[in-house]
Each structure stands twice: as C-alpha cells, then as structure tokens.
C-alpha cells in the first residue's frame, strides 16, 4: 500500500490527476482506512488553490471514509469550498458545492458558515426561493450578522418581495 500511495502522490503532483485517481481508487479498494494519504494530498491541493485537484482527492477521501463510517464535517465542508471556487469554469460546480455543504450539515446541522455558503451559492444561481429559505435559517442562528441580512435582502429582492427586501436592508444598515 505504501508504494501505491507514493506512486499516486507523485502522479498527483505531476499534473496527472486521472492516473493518480485510478491508483488511489485501487488503494481505497484494498484498504479504505488509508484515506489519510489521499486526504492529505487533497488538503495540500486545497491550500495551493488547485480547486479541481483538491475536489478530486478530497472526494476520494470522503468516499473511503464513508465506507468505514468515518465521515468528517471538515472534509465535506472543504469539498464544498473547492467546488464553490470552481464555479467560474464550471457552473455545475455550484450545485455540487451545495450538495457537499448539505452533507456536512448532516454532521453539524446548525454550523453557520456552512449555511451561509449555501445561501451564497443559491444567490449566485439566482435560485431565490432556496436562497431565502437558507437565508432565513442563517439569520435565525446569526441574527447580528450583516452579511446574512444583505444576502437575504438580495434574495427577497430577486423574488420581487420589496417589503421584506427593504426590512432586511434596514437590518443590514443597522449592523454594518
């Protein structure tokens, strides 16, 4: 397993992610508890802002963790971040980011930063109904956060609800 892990790591760092993914899939098949090697590479890529590479390796690690019942909030959250950052080159990445943020919330249901990131994704997607729903959830948890009120105002405005948009804008102005 060590040789397979080393070979996969070299491939990942030499911009051959598909070859590396293939090797790491074999590693996970042989020993799902070896997710740490894959996860570390994913976090290195995340730190280097290689969003696509990070998403690939962190997802592999998440799959391995799921096989042994060791899901991680931080891992799922960071996969969501990697996909969110890929939104300009791949618009579908926003929906994928929401999917991973929601999976992270299955572990920590009221984690405010994760909820706020879901609101941001829905605002970018202009899915106003979802943005309002998640925005309301967020301000119930963080009622004194100006950013939450600003996003909620934008969401209500997008829905055409000027009264609620005005209320949220007023609250935003009070808090900033």
């Amino acid at each position: 397993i060590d040789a397979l892990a080393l070979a996969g790591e070299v491939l990942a760092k030499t911009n051959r992610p598909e070859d590396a993914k293939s090797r790491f899939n074999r590693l996970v098949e042989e020993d799902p508890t070896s997710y740490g090697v894959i996860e570390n590479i994913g976090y290195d890529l995340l730190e280097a802002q290689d969003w696509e590479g990070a998403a690939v390796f962190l997802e592999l690690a998440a799959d391995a963790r799921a096989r042994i019942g060791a899901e991680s909030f931080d891992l799922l959250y960071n996969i969501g971040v990697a996909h969110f950052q890929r939104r300009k080159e791949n618009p579908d990445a926003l929906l994928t980011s929401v999917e991973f943020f929601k999976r992270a919330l299955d572990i920590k249901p009221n984690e405010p930063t994760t909820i706020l990131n879901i609101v941001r994704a829905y605002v970018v997607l202009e899915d106003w109904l979802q943005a309002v729903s998640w925005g309301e959830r967020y301000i119930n948890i963080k009622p004194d956060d100006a950013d939450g009120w600003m996003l909620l105002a934008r969401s209500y405005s997008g829905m055409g609800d000027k009264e609620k948009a005005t209320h949220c804008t007023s609250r935003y102005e009070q808090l900033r």
Side-chain angles (χ1 to χ4, degrees):
I1 290 179
D2 289 339
L4 188 59
L6 179 61
E9 190 170 355
V10 168
L11 289 170
K13 290 181 180 177
T14 57
N15 290 325
R16 293 175 54 195
E18 286 308 311
D19 291 338
K21 184 177 178 179
S22 172
R23 299 258 176 144
F24 283 119
N25 273 330
R26 282 199 313 250
L27 177 64
V28 169
E29 289 295 323
E30 290 177 19
D31 181 11
T33 63
S34 63
Y35 63 80
V37 172
I38 303 163
E39 196 170 308
N40 288 339
I41 292 170
Y43 279 122
D44 288 346
L45 292 168
L46 190 74
E47 189 174 312
Q49 297 183 354
D50 177 348
W51 308 120
E52 183 176 3
V56 167
F57 287 96
L58 293 176
E59 282 184 46
L60 282 170
D63 290 344
R65 280 178 166 272
R67 287 181 189 194
I68 60 171
E71 288 199 305
S72 161
F73 168 85
D74 290 335
L75 179 61
L76 296 169
Y77 174 84
N78 281 305
I79 295 168
V81 168
H83 282 292
F84 186 86
Q85 294 297 334
R86 297 180 56 235
R87 69 192 178 279
K88 289 180 182 164
E89 69 258 7
N90 180 0
D92 293 337
L94 275 172
L95 289 174
T96 304
S97 75
V98 169
E99 174 189 325
F100 280 97
F101 288 140
K102 286 179 178 178
R103 283 180 59 190
L105 289 173
D106 287 341
I107 297 168
K108 289 185 182 179
N110 291 318
E111 202 287 314
T113 303
T114 307
I115 295 170
L116 187 61
N117 284 338
I118 292 172
V119 177
R120 287 181 176 128
Y122 282 129
V123 166
V124 171
L125 290 166
E126 297 182 357
D127 184 338
W128 305 121
L129 187 61
Q130 288 294 327
V132 164
S133 175
W134 285 93
E136 288 287 352
R137 180 173 171 182
Y138 179 76
I139 63 162
N140 283 326
I141 295 168
K142 298 281 283 190
D144 295 329
D145 182 69
D147 289 338
W149 286 101
M150 179 196 60
L151 288 169
L152 193 54
R154 184 170 176 201
S155 301
Y156 275 121
S157 179
M159 283 181 66
D161 191 331
K162 293 182 188 209
E163 185 178 322
K164 287 185 179 177
T166 300
H167 167 74
C168 293
T169 300
S170 293
R171 185 71 176 130
Y172 164 75
E173 293 292 333
Q174 290 172 352
L175 293 170
R176 90 182 156 119

